[in-house]
Amino acid sequence: MLISGHQAGEALVPFLIGVVIDQAVGGGPGGLALWLGVLGAVYLTLSFSYRFGDRAAQRASQQAAHELRLALTRRVLDHRGGAEAGRLPGALVDIAAGDAARVGAVAAMVPSATAAVGGLALTAVLLLMISLPLGLLVLVGAPPLLWLSHRLGKPLEHRSETEQEHAARASGVAADLVSGLRVLKGLGAQRHALDRYRRTSRESLRATVRSARAEATYHGLTIALNGVFLAVIALAGGRLAAGGHITIGELVSTAGLAQYLLTPLTTLAWVNGVFAQGRASARRIATVLSSPPAVTPGPLPVPDPAAGKIALRGLSGTGMRRVDLDITPGEFVGVVATDPAAASALLAHLGRAADPEEGSVELDGVALTDLHPGELRAAILVAGHDARLFDGTVRDNLAADMGLDAALVAAGADEVVAALPAGLDTVLDERGRSLSGGQRQRLALARALAADPPVLVLHDPTTAVDTVTESRVAEGLRAFRRDRTTIVVTTSPALLAVTDRVVLLDEGAVTAQGTHTALVAEHSRYRAAVLS
């Protein structure tokens, strides 16, 4: 409403100036004073309307972008999963940042578009009051001009979407490279990684240039079309004034209104460009929000309290075939998988990040597919090996107070905390990059232990620590998790040595079970997996 009031005022100003001129030429001082007062009031109104209207529009834009980011965050963090499938983390960040901002900008453009259309209509009415031909010229000429402007924006929309996809891919690759920088340096693969990013970045640059070229072409053509339209209106007004059909003041009003028309026409062209980019971004956001879930919640409640009995029944799928396994409550079991795909699939099924193609996983006799994944993860905690930390203090990252000291000792992380300048209150940088890989890994293990779930599943929790520390962590882990079900998917001899039982998952099937010592002595495939 306020933006529309501003545009109405902008349209009225040239009309009122013409009235004032006619009053100065042929009217009395009273009429002149009256219309000057009206003109001043219009100026005050349009100034007030623009100031507060633009503020409200920008607030709406930021609020809309914020709500979209919240919706995307909720979808990405949804316990059912699926939003991250086929997308790099950096790409999701780009969608939540860049695409949400573009769609949010549409909220600010809606009142501007409405006001521009209202300004065109008011201009047509004012020109009709001056001259019927002039008003009809605007009423007849504006719609096809706006339609043509919309059609010209189609290539911009297509190229904008392509640009955003390439930019998201480049952001995703960059984020991946930065997060794995230590590993890349260790492998000596910096040049290969740089070449990969350079190719992706160049594709993004080419897409950006094409999009910028389309945008420049679009704006150039719309400005030229608007200029021709305004010239026709001014020429028609001049001929009417020369023929004595309109007064000098009306001629001035016609020229002013013709000049004013450039504002709503340019605004509509600009809005159409923003809409084109917003539609492309909206489609990308909609793709994430409508991603099919990886798993669906089941109807049954999680056993409370959970005893911790785990059973695999005919589990088949990626890397596994007809796997049967029973783990009793409180048992400490090691799993050695000769195929990394089988290990990843097992972890995904235990945490319900994905459901098995065949067979089932059970907790205390209830199939995991019958449980809600969010509630389930409070009973079965799967801690990955990537040891991700977050911004904030060490205490915030551990997210626990009860039993924290014991968890730190068990994970060998008490030494890490003692070496930090402010102990648990030390503020970590992004993902704890100031810490070594082993320090991050021990803090992440302490976080998992402090959560104290009925069933804890660990994946290679000591790959970044030295052998002495690993032995200490193995003994601490065994003592801390006494009488609670623990599954360690690893090939670490130190961790496997403290387990009650080790299961060998070879070529997708359980081929051997027993203590670590017995399997090393009796099973060549096991020896090759854990001692090579």
Side-chain angles (χ1 to χ4, degrees):
M1 181 66 71
L2 291 172
I3 297 293
S4 296
H6 169 257
Q7 285 297 301
E10 290 280 5
L12 285 171
V13 165
F15 178 79
L16 291 174
I17 288 175
V19 173
V20 168
I21 290 174
D22 281 342
Q23 288 293 322
V25 172
L32 178 61
L34 171 64
W35 286 106
L36 283 173
V38 171
L39 181 61
V42 168
Y43 265 116
L44 288 175
T45 301
L46 69 88
S47 176
F48 173 87
S49 298
Y50 179 78
R51 177 182 177 185
F52 291 97
D54 187 63
R55 180 186 299 178
Q58 293 304 318
R59 184 185 297 115
S61 172
Q62 295 301 318
Q63 184 65 31
H66 175 66
E67 293 295 335
L68 282 172
R69 291 188 187 102
L70 288 179
L72 286 164
T73 301
R74 283 193 293 268
R75 180 63 191 92
V76 171
L77 297 180
D78 192 315
H79 289 295
R80 298 171 303 164
E84 72 284 358
R87 299 181 180 93
L88 293 170
L92 288 170
V93 171
D94 187 77
I95 291 172
D99 288 315
R102 289 186 182 96
V103 176
V106 172
M109 295 300 102
V110 170
S112 295
T114 303
V117 172
L120 282 174
L122 179 58
T123 301
V125 170
L126 294 175
L127 286 173
L128 282 170
M129 293 172 62
I130 295 172
S131 168
L132 181 62
L134 289 176
L136 291 175
L137 181 60
V138 174
L139 288 173
V140 173
L145 189 66
L146 295 177
W147 175 83
L148 185 58
S149 176
H150 172 72
R151 296 299 302 172
L152 290 173
K154 285 298 182 181
L156 174 61
E157 179 179 347
H158 172 72
R159 292 188 179 182
S160 176
E161 184 170 13
T162 303
E163 173 205 357
Q164 291 156 28
E165 289 174 353
H166 281 84
R169 190 177 300 117
S171 297
V173 171
D176 258 15
L177 294 180
V178 171
S179 62
L181 193 57
R182 288 175 182 263
V183 177
L184 290 171
K185 287 183 176 180
L187 296 173
Q190 301 99 307
R191 181 173 296 279
H192 174 74
L194 181 61
D195 289 341
R196 179 191 175 202
Y197 178 72
R198 183 181 289 114
R199 289 192 301 271
T200 307
S201 180
R202 283 175 177 170
E203 290 174 1
S204 177
L205 175 61
R206 285 193 291 269
T208 301
V209 170
R210 286 193 296 269
S211 177
R213 188 181 296 122
E215 185 173 5
T217 302
Y218 169 74
H219 287 301
L221 288 174
T222 54
I223 290 173
L225 289 171
N226 292 341
V228 171
F229 185 52
L230 299 183
V232 170
I233 294 173
L235 179 61
R239 291 181 64 86
L240 289 171
H245 299 292
I246 59 176
T247 66
I248 296 299
E250 290 172 335
L251 175 61
V252 171
S253 293
T254 299
L257 287 169
Q259 186 175 8
Y260 160 73
L261 276 175
L262 185 61
T263 298
L265 290 173
T266 302
T267 298
L268 288 171
W270 173 47
V271 165
N272 189 58
V274 173
F275 279 6
Q277 293 179 326
R279 285 191 295 270
S281 289
R283 281 194 289 270
R284 284 160 49 77
I285 291 174
T287 300
V288 176
L289 295 179
S290 62
S291 299
V295 297
T296 54
L300 301 180
V302 174
D304 186 22
K309 179 182 178 181
I310 297 294
L312 310 183
R313 297 285 180 260
L315 201 63
S316 298
T318 305
M320 292 187 292
R321 50 186 179 84
R322 307 296 301 172
V323 174
D324 290 296
L325 179 65
D326 287 283
I327 299 174
T328 59
E331 191 175 10
F332 195 148
V333 175
V335 176
V336 175
T338 57
D339 181 2
S344 298
L346 177 61
L347 293 164
H349 297 329
L350 287 169
R352 266 213 92 189
D355 289 331
E357 297 174 11
E358 295 181 27
S360 65
V361 181
E362 298 176 0
L363 170 65
D364 295 345
V366 182
L368 300 193
T369 52
D370 291 332
L371 305 175
H372 190 285
E375 297 174 2
L376 170 67
R377 287 164 194 156
I380 301 178
L381 174 59
V382 177
H385 70 281
D386 49 0
R388 290 181 180 271
L389 300 177
F390 307 97
D391 291 351
T393 66
V394 174
R395 191 186 303 277
D396 292 338
N397 268 274
L398 297 177
D401 291 315
M402 298 297 293
L404 180 56
D405 290 339
L408 288 169
V409 172
D414 53 333
E415 297 176 349
V416 178
V417 173
L420 296 175
L424 287 172
D425 296 316
T426 300
V427 177
L428 301 178
D429 59 5
E430 184 184 2
R431 294 190 181 181
R433 294 189 189 283
S434 57
L435 303 177
S436 69
Q439 289 173 322
R440 290 199 302 272
Q441 202 168 51
R442 281 181 280 172
L443 287 174
L445 177 58
R447 178 172 60 196
L449 293 175
D452 199 25
V455 179
L456 177 61
V457 183
L458 300 172
H459 183 207
D460 282 331
T462 57
T463 53
V465 301
D466 60 76
T467 55
V468 174
T469 303
E470 186 176 31
S471 297
R472 177 192 167 192
V473 170
E475 294 295 337
L477 179 60
R478 171 77 194 195
F480 189 90
R481 291 292 298 176
R482 189 179 305 278
D483 300 326
R484 280 161 293 180
T485 307
T486 307
I487 303 170
V488 183
V489 182
T490 185
T491 56
S492 163
L495 289 172
L496 295 170
V498 300
T499 60
D500 297 320
R501 172 170 54 118
V502 179
V503 176
L504 176 62
L505 196 60
D506 187 26
E507 294 184 353
V510 176
T511 57
Q513 298 186 54
T515 65
H516 169 66
T517 303
L519 288 175
V520 167
E522 300 169 4
H523 206 288
S524 59
R525 291 284 291 174
Y526 182 81
R527 283 197 303 275
V530 302
L531 300 180
S532 58

